[in-house]
Amino acid sequence: MSGDGTVLLTVLLKHDQSQNLDQIQSTLGERAWWERFPPGDAEIVSWVVAMGIGQIVTLRLPADQINLVNVELERSAWGVFRTEFYPTYDFVPVRERLAREWGESRPGGGEPEPERDGTARAVDSEEAGPPRPGMFSHAKVVGDRFSLSGMHAGDGRGGVLGDGSAYDQTRRALTKVKALVEAAGGVMDDVQNLRVYLTDIQDKGEVGRARTEFFTGDFPCSTLVEVSALVEPGLTVEIEAEGVIGSAPRT
């Protein structure tokens, strides 16, 4: 019962299938059904047709008028409908509370999820280096899908970070990939596809060794291509990534 003393009552009006529609409407008209029901102070919350079953009516009414509904159904509806009654309550606020509590119990304390609509949004991370306005985005997210530009070990000033080895360049490129994926709201195992560009195909073993440090379970699909050069002198590895946020199991 609500604070104003009203209750919700759902009434299932099952059609009598021994009568056709014209017979049903004729009987209801003779009994002034459309004027008499609902009776008293009852208000219609919803009234829907469930095809093959009948009509489902939810009323809001003072608790002390439930008997009026029962009497009116006996007077006006019997012979046309078979009736069932179900005390009802509004589950929407309960659902909102349960959803909020469930969200708060998850890792992250119920922090809001990134929006998941059809509009593309750019994502950046300090780890990936300064953005390049007017040239390209480091990452784009549409709905749950993300796409990353090629990441490499460049320092943003024309040089190369680290010791310059294929292994170290791969680790640094994947570190940037990881930072962007997490900025998009995902984890590395959400990556579904990698494209790796190498200036020397003989370095593929070192690339694979570094890659095992960033993924668990089923590794993403991967394409490895040898190219003649990358964007800056000294770069030997560049990695693109695509994936779906939430596709990997969470522990």
Side-chain angles (χ1 to χ4, degrees), residues 10 31 46 56-57 61-62 64 150 153 155 169 173 189 197 211 221:
T10 295
R31 298 177 181 177
S46 66
I56 303 172
V57 186
L61 69 158
D64 60 2
D155 61 7
Q169 289 201 32
D189 285 343
Y197 302 93
R211 189 168 50 191
C221 301

Side-chain angles (χ1 to χ4, degrees), residues 144-158:
D144 290 335
R145 304 194 65 87
F146 59 85
S147 299
L148 274 59
S149 295
M151 294 292 113
H152 50 65
D155 61 7
R157 300 183 298 275

Side-chain angles (χ1 to χ4, degrees), residues 10 35 47 73 75 119 140 161 178 239 244 246:
T10 295
E35 295 179 2
W47 194 320
L73 288 170
R75 177 184 292 118
T119 303
K140 283 288 189 74
L161 298 169
K178 183 175 184 290
I239 301 175
V244 180

Side-chain angles (χ1 to χ4, degrees), residues 32-243:
W33 164 257
W34 303 113
E35 295 179 2
R36 300 177 66 97
F37 188 85
D41 297 319
E43 301 175 2
I44 298 171
V45 176
S46 66
W47 194 320
V48 299
V49 172
M51 292 187 294
I53 298 176
Q55 301 173 29
I56 303 172
V57 186
T58 298
L59 304 174
R60 178 180 287 109
L61 69 158
D64 60 2
Q65 293 188 15
I66 290 179
N67 64 311
L68 298 182
V69 174
N70 182 57
V71 170
E72 194 54 55
L73 288 170
E74 292 179 357
R75 177 184 292 118
S76 307
W78 284 12
V80 177
F81 301 110
R82 290 180 291 111
T83 58
E84 297 178 9
F85 300 85
Y86 301 94
T88 307
Y89 65 92
D90 184 1
F91 189 67
V92 172
V94 179
R95 181 204 174 277
E96 291 176 350
R97 176 179 60 79
L98 293 175
R100 182 178 65 254
E101 291 175 353
W102 176 79
E104 291 172 352
S105 70
R106 300 175 64 196
E111 295 178 359
E113 292 284 336
E115 292 184 5
R116 302 280 188 255
D117 57 24
T119 303
R121 59 186 177 93
V123 174
D124 237 309
S125 167
E126 290 185 6
E127 187 71 41
R132 304 289 292 275
M135 297 185 65
F136 61 85
S137 296
H138 279 147
K140 283 288 189 74
V141 180
V142 180
D144 290 335
R145 304 194 65 87
F146 59 85
S147 299
L148 274 59
S149 295
M151 294 292 113
H152 50 65
D155 61 7
R157 300 183 298 275
V160 177
L161 298 169
D163 62 20
S165 67
Y167 168 75
D168 190 61
Q169 289 201 32
T170 302
R171 285 188 69 258
R172 293 177 183 276
L174 287 173
T175 297
K176 294 180 179 180
V177 168
K178 183 175 184 290
L180 289 168
V181 170
E182 291 176 351
V187 297
M188 278 297 274
D189 285 343
D190 287 334
V191 174
Q192 301 296 310
N193 190 35
L194 288 176
R195 283 180 293 276
V196 182
Y197 302 93
L198 277 176
T199 58
D200 186 348
I201 201 68
Q202 299 302 317
D203 289 333
K204 63 182 180 180
E206 293 298 281
V207 171
R209 181 163 70 95
R211 189 168 50 191
T212 61
E213 300 174 12
F214 288 84
F215 297 98
T216 60
D218 292 333
F219 276 37
C221 301
S222 183
T223 300
L224 190 148
V225 181
E226 184 180 50
V227 295
S228 59
L230 294 173
V231 66
E232 300 287 355
L235 291 177
T236 62
V237 182
E238 186 166 348
I239 301 175
E240 297 176 355
E242 296 177 349

